[in-house]
């Protein structure tokens, strides 16, 4: 059984943090299917401390979400420590630190994967956060900055030494962004260097990937991001497969219809009509991907500006598919 400090996880398959995707409605839904842990979207430490509405929205969790991991990003030890404290007070049960984000805006602020370039400074930030809160602190990193600087094993060891309770490694360097293939075998060199749990991440899109990733990396668990697009049940299926070898079927089309409808309504309730419609579009697209006539359905749904109309077209689209089967 996977443990993060004093927290026992029910499964060793974790939902990856994804900005613009793993918001509260999605995390709640994935948890309801049985994910070991779900992680919030990255929140910049300075926006936590300026108490922006967006940072509250991203961090939002309540006791029923336990264990809820909230991810913060930044490079200033004090600011990061304060941001961690604030999120702990808002209900986070784990603080995750982002040392993996490759995007320019974050890198230019010396945060995300840029932190891997200066290990001493990276460790100072980790230490400040660990000392600031009484809940487990974890870190998510890449394998390194580029092919000649794959320092995840050494940074992970230093992280362990200052009290970090789990390390997740996305098996790419920063300079790869999302290109190429995640190097699951390299993650084994991190696993061999620490005693805290190591989670392997990157390119797990089916059950065989998950099994192979664990075999290659020797990791204690896997984290899945894009493989969950339109499939909030995938984390649970993967965990079941890894434990039993049994491939659970996807929910029936009728069940998927209800999951999408409820998820859509939850997004509208959470964000309000205007933002909700915009943010929900990608999910509507993902759920319907591959279904007969989905391109036309998506085209129409994407242009709609009232949630009621979108719900009606969802009813129509799934209704006609269900009648024709
Ligand atoms: C749209 C999107 C947003 C992401 N946002 C974050 C983030 O906020 N924090 C983070 O640590 N990683 C973020 N990531 C990286 C993922 O957590 C994960 O490491 C990466 O997608 C590889 O895993 P996958 O192949 O299972 O998707 C993001 C990835 C995507 C595709």
């Amino acid at each position: 059984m996977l443990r993060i400090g004093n927290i026992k996880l029910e499964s060793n398959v974790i939902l990856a943090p994804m900005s613009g995707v793993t918001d509260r409605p999605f995390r709640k839904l994935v948890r309801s299917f049985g994910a070991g842990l779900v992680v919030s979207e990255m929140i910049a430490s300075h926006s936590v401390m300026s108490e922006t509405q967006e940072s509250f929205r991203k961090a939002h969790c309540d006791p029923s979400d336990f264990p809820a991991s909230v991810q913060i990003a930044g490079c200033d030890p004090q600011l990061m420590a304060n941001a961690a404290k604030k999120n702990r007070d808002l209900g986070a049960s784990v603080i995750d630190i982002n040392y993996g984000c490759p995007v320019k805006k974050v890198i230019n602020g010396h945060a995300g994967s840029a932190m891997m370039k200066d290990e001493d400074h990276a460790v100072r930030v980790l230490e400040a956060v660990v000392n600031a809160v009484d809940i487990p602190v974890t870190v998510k990193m890449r394998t390194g900055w580029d092919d000649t600087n794959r320092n995840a094993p050494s940074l992970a060891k230093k992280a362990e030494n200052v009290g970090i309770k789990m390390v997740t490694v996305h098996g790419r360097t920063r300079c790869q962004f999302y290109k190429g293939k995640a190097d699951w075998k390299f993650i084994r060199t991190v696993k061999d260097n620490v005693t805290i749990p190591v989670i392997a991440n990157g390119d797990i899109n089916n059950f065989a990937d998950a099994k192979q990733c664990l075999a290659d990396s020797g990791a204690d668990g896997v984290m899945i991001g894009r493989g969950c697009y339109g499939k909030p049940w995938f984390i649970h299926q993967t965990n079941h497969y890894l434990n039993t070898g049994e491939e659970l079927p996807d929910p029936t089309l009728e069940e998927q219809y209800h999951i999408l409808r409820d998820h859509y309504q939850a997004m509208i309730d959470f964000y309000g009509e205007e933002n909700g419609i915009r943010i929900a579009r990608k999910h509507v697209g993902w759920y319907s991907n591959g279904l007969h006539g989905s391109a036309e359905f998506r085209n129409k749904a994407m242009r709609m500006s009232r949630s009621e109309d979108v719900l009606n077209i969802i009813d129509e689209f799934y209704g006609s598919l269900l009648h024709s089967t």
Side-chain angles (χ1 to χ4, degrees):
M1 185 60 64
L2 186 56
R3 272 177 171 275
I4 309 178
N6 56 357
I7 298 178
K8 257 196 231 159
L9 301 190
E10 283 161 22
S11 115
N12 59 352
V13 185
I14 297 173
L15 175 68
M18 289 186 286
S19 298
V21 181
T22 58
D23 55 13
R24 177 114 202 289
F26 192 65
R27 296 198 306 275
K28 212 172 161 66
L29 182 56
V30 172
R31 271 292 279 158
S32 74
F33 281 101
L37 184 72
V38 294
V39 187
S40 78
E41 305 168 79
M42 168 183 82
I43 314 170
S45 51
H46 56 82
S47 44
V48 176
M49 295 322 291
S50 358
E51 304 195 338
T52 62
Q53 219 187 346
E54 197 191 355
S55 75
F56 279 126
R57 188 179 45 65
K58 284 185 176 169
H60 192 100
C61 36
D62 70 36
S64 70
D65 297 336
F66 183 86
S69 174
V70 172
Q71 189 187 66
I72 55 174
C75 63
D76 181 81
Q78 195 55 53
L79 202 54
M80 287 288 279
N82 291 343
K85 263 193 249 169
K86 185 150 266 178
N87 279 311
R88 186 234 175 274
D89 294 345
L90 288 169
S93 17
V94 175
I95 297 291
D96 188 51
I97 298 183
N98 181 324
Y99 281 177
C101 182
V103 308
K104 279 230 169 68
K105 200 173 122 191
V106 175
I107 295 298
N108 291 344
H110 308 288
S113 54
M115 295 295 281
M116 295 194 74
K117 284 171 114 178
D118 183 347
E119 280 188 20
D120 289 343
H121 182 66
V123 173
R124 272 197 294 279
V125 171
L126 298 179
E127 194 168 19
V129 174
V130 167
N131 290 335
V133 289
D134 56 359
I135 52 174
V137 180
T138 60
V139 62
K140 179 166 179 278
M141 58 179 76
R142 287 195 169 225
T143 52
W145 180 259
D146 59 22
D147 276 350
T148 49
N149 295 288
R150 294 208 289 175
N151 60 335
S154 120
L155 182 55
K157 182 69 198 164
K158 290 176 183 171
E160 173 173 36
N161 289 343
V162 296
I164 290 293
K165 296 290 192 258
M166 184 175 86
V167 178
T168 301
V169 184
H170 174 190
R172 287 187 173 84
T173 64
R174 184 271 171 181
C175 289
Q176 275 184 287
F177 286 88
Y178 289 90
K179 289 192 221 98
K181 190 123 176 50
D183 187 346
W184 298 329
K185 288 195 173 130
F186 183 82
I187 298 173
R188 188 174 280 278
T189 61
V190 179
K191 172 68 189 161
D192 289 345
N193 222 26
V194 296
T195 59
I196 50 174
V198 172
I199 304 298
N201 166 244
D203 298 343
I204 297 173
N205 294 307
N206 53 49
F207 303 142
D209 289 343
K211 195 171 171 190
Q212 192 61 47
C213 175
L214 281 182
D216 285 355
S217 65
D220 302 278
V222 292
M223 176 181 271
I224 305 178
R226 293 165 294 175
C228 296
Y229 284 178
K231 292 192 287 177
W233 49 84
F234 182 54
I235 297 263
H236 168 67
Q237 285 177 317
T238 305
N239 183 49
H240 185 83
Y241 173 76
L242 291 174
N243 287 329
T244 66
E246 184 194 5
E247 300 191 7
L248 290 176
D250 285 345
T252 63
L253 188 64
E254 182 161 10
E255 286 163 338
Q256 292 186 31
Y257 158 56
H258 290 293
I259 293 165
L260 165 58
R261 217 180 183 287
D262 292 349
H263 185 191
Y264 190 84
Q265 191 59 58
M267 288 185 277
I268 300 297
D269 294 344
F270 185 69
Y271 290 106
E273 178 83 4
E274 197 182 326
N275 287 334
I277 286 173
R278 190 174 43 77
I279 290 162
R281 280 188 186 128
K282 53 182 172 290
H283 290 280
V284 173
W286 291 330
Y287 278 103
S288 61
N289 226 347
L291 295 177
H292 181 71
S294 63
E296 194 190 338
F297 159 69
R298 276 195 298 275
N299 254 335
K300 283 189 194 157
M302 299 303 146
R303 283 201 225 104
M304 289 174 164
S305 55
R306 290 184 339 142
S307 61
E308 202 187 319
D309 295 338
V310 179
L311 285 167
N312 284 338
I313 198 175
I314 290 173
D315 293 345
E316 227 175 77
F317 174 64
Y318 280 85
S320 72
L321 285 176
L322 285 166
H323 277 113
S324 66
T325 53

